[in-house]
Amino acid sequence: MGIPVVVGVDGSEAGLEAVDWAADEAVRHTVPLRLVHVATPDQLPHPLTGHPNHASPAVRVGREPASDQDVQETADSIVTSATTRARQRAPTVQLSGEVLYGDAAAALTGKGRNAFALVLGSRGLGDLAGLLLGSVSLAVAARADCPVVVVRGGVEHRDSRFGNVVVGIEDGAGSGTALQFALREAQVGRCGLTAVHARCTATSGSPETTAPADWTPEAQRRSPGQVLDDALHGPGDRCPHVVVSRRAVEGPAREALLEAASGADLLVVGARRRRGHFGLQLGLVNHGVLHHSPCPVAVVPQI
């Protein structure tokens, strides 16, 4: 049936909202759904005392601490509850679940190497009050090899009531994979697509605050409308049933994307590979939308 949508579950309300979104996504794409709970090192027993280990030596993902029955039972209960919720939401989807032990971000990132997408809640049980985005979600979005969807916003945004997907378009090749993902989501969701390109001018702000890392002054030679036309030519033609709207904005990209997302079911942004390093470069714009978006955000790594 294809590679699965993977959703991280931790027993939090945000995690259950992610399960709902992931179940709907699995239905839309007719792929399996895999629920993963990661018991973190501070929940594991100290090798000598048997008490929870707050010093947390390295723990291998997948190693079950057989001496701590309570941790195992709690983890199994979290997966069972999430599975019940997913089955009620999507009774026809092929479901599976597993418990891993170790660092949550590393474990989930590893599962993303063979995933259609990784879906996470905006905050987990262990996050401090007042945080806008959980530390695990941010770390996974910055490191995963597959699209990462952080489920945010109210029920009207999470339940696809707007009939609109928004995608951010950069000047250059950095948005190609994100655009393909956004078009595919719009097509299976039978909704429209809004492509947004924002550019700061001498009067609207400094280009370095919103442009990609390889921005040069020559990029300003193309008009914002031309940037959108060039990006959509080809990919848009392959999805003729998706109605595409173009929005060229003079101003900061973060504000333009957040404004467009106020009437969207999903906001899609691209993520570039770091030069000379493993992992992704989220940048200021992606950090901003991950923390403040009114709807779910998909971070799609550039291939």
Side-chain angles (χ1 to χ4, degrees), residues 3 7 17 24 35-36 90 102 118 121 129 132 154 169 190 192 201 205 219 245 267-268 272 279 291-292 296:
I3 58 176
V7 56
E17 291 169 356
D24 292 345
L35 301 101
V36 177
L118 270 172
L132 296 173
I169 301 296
R190 299 182 179 180
T201 63
S245 301
L267 170 60
V268 183
R272 292 172 173 266
H291 281 86
H292 298 285

Side-chain angles (χ1 to χ4, degrees), residues 7-12 15-16 19 35-38 78-79 82 98 108 119:
V7 56
V9 297
D10 62 0
S12 68
L16 292 175
V19 169
L35 301 101
V36 177
H37 173 69
V38 184
I78 289 172
V79 173
E98 67 178 311
L108 290 168
V119 182

Side-chain angles (χ1 to χ4, degrees), residues 264-289:
D265 306 309
L266 180 67
L267 170 60
V268 183
V269 293
R272 292 172 173 266
R273 297 290 174 187
R274 296 175 182 172
R275 294 177 179 176
H277 299 278
F278 293 105
L280 302 175
Q281 178 62 58
L282 289 181
L284 295 176
V285 174
N286 286 359
H287 272 274
V289 299

Side-chain angles (χ1 to χ4, degrees), residues 31-58:
V31 296
L33 177 62
R34 188 159 189 79
L35 301 101
V36 177
H37 173 69
V38 184
T40 55
D42 61 352
Q43 296 175 292
L44 303 179
H46 189 280
L48 297 179
T49 66
H51 296 300
N53 177 20
H54 298 290
S56 68

